[in-house]
Amino acid sequence: MVKIAKRIKSAREHIDANKHYPIEEAIKLVKENATAKFDETIELAVNLGIDPRHTDQMVRGVIALPNGTGRQTRVAVFAKDAKAEEAKKAGADIVGAEDLVEIIQSGKIEFDRCIATPDMMPLVGRLGKVLGPRNLMPNPKTGTVTMDIVEAVKAAKGGAVTFRAEKAGIVQAGIGKASFSETEILDNIKAFLEAVRKARPSGAKGTYMRHISLSSTMGLGVRIDASTIST
């Protein structure tokens, strides 16, 4: 018989897996049950009415959350010469070109966001099979392929979150920490959902946001009643 941790048993006593909770109540429940010995990440998942296999139904974007994410973001930048210097001064953790390609190809990926100047993309393209599955591939639509390296690095460091629909049509992201106030989490949720709404593709038909759930790193998911969220 599988042994269930006491904290999970306790959470199940307070959370109805089949109920759709008002957003404020959902946030409160998730925070109350985030009892791990570290500051758990609050994660939002949105099941969309799309089929990402079709190019006209892909959803992706970037949003600078009003209260940040609560985590330190490590940024890698593909750039040369003056742009490389700009990246370093802006606070990028790793800056390089061919040497950075070699590091990544060796399996050493020690960053959370990847930015590149347009001229570096033929080089970065070699890493598609490595960076793509990790949602790290620079893309103009998310502001990570740009000549404005300083602004891109500052946005990444300041709590900007990139999102992309997975094969099952789900978009998810860490939108804060359990230590955040309920108001801070709510503001971040609203900002993230508004960005997802704006990214609605032309090929999406019917109900766009089908299911929304909130959880913490070690906690149970709480379903949210979308009608209680006003952005």
Side-chain angles (χ1 to χ4, degrees):
M1 181 179 291
V2 178
K3 186 176 181 180
I4 302 174
K6 290 183 179 180
R7 61 192 304 276
I8 297 299
K9 286 183 178 180
S10 177
R12 288 179 176 175
E13 291 176 358
H14 298 90
I15 298 173
D16 184 343
N18 297 312
K19 180 178 178 178
H20 289 74
Y21 291 87
I23 181 61
E24 289 85 358
E25 188 176 351
I27 293 171
K28 184 177 181 179
L29 283 169
V30 170
K31 277 179 58 65
E32 288 178 347
N33 287 284
T35 57
K37 295 181 180 180
F38 61 93
D39 194 6
E40 296 183 50
T41 297
I42 303 299
E43 301 172 350
L44 188 71
V46 187
N47 191 315
L48 303 174
I50 61 170
D51 186 347
R53 292 175 298 179
H54 300 289
T55 56
D56 66 342
Q57 294 190 49
M58 174 52 68
V59 173
R60 67 171 66 199
V62 61
I63 174 66
L65 299 177
N67 299 301
T69 62
R71 62 172 292 181
Q72 291 187 337
T73 302
R74 299 164 299 176
V75 179
V77 176
F78 282 92
K80 286 185 175 181
D81 305 324
K83 289 299 176 182
E85 290 304 313
E86 287 181 16
K88 293 175 183 177
K89 290 180 180 179
D93 299 273
I94 307 169
V95 181
E98 287 85 355
D99 55 333
L100 183 50
V101 170
E102 292 178 4
I103 291 173
I104 294 172
Q105 287 178 330
S106 72
K108 194 174 182 180
I109 302 176
E110 298 180 338
F111 52 87
D112 309 296
R113 292 287 299 280
C114 188
I115 299 166
T117 53
D119 59 301
M120 288 285 98
M121 286 311 292
L123 191 65
V124 180
R126 303 178 196 170
L127 303 170
K129 292 183 179 180
V130 179
L131 299 180
R134 294 175 171 80
N135 199 22
L136 290 172
M137 193 68 180
N139 189 294
K141 293 182 179 180
T142 60
T144 49
V145 176
T146 177
M147 288 299 289
D148 193 349
I149 290 296
V150 173
E151 184 59 34
V153 172
K154 287 183 177 179
K157 287 285 188 178
V161 172
T162 59
F163 58 88
R164 185 181 69 174
E166 300 173 357
K167 290 182 179 179
I170 297 174
V171 169
Q172 54 188 344
I175 49 84
K177 291 289 186 177
S179 58
F180 280 23
S181 70
E182 292 178 22
T183 299
E184 289 173 328
I185 294 173
L186 178 59
D187 289 343
N188 278 1
I189 289 174
K190 288 182 176 180
F192 183 80
L193 291 179
E194 180 61 19
V196 174
R197 284 195 180 97
K198 289 181 177 179
R200 177 171 182 158
S202 59
K205 306 299 180 184
T207 303
Y208 180 48
M209 293 190 185
R210 293 181 174 176
H211 304 288
I212 304 173
S213 63
L214 193 68
S215 65
S216 64
T217 305
M218 304 296 289
L220 298 177
V222 178
R223 294 186 178 185
I224 296 174
D225 180 352
S227 67
T228 65
I229 305 174
S230 58
T231 56

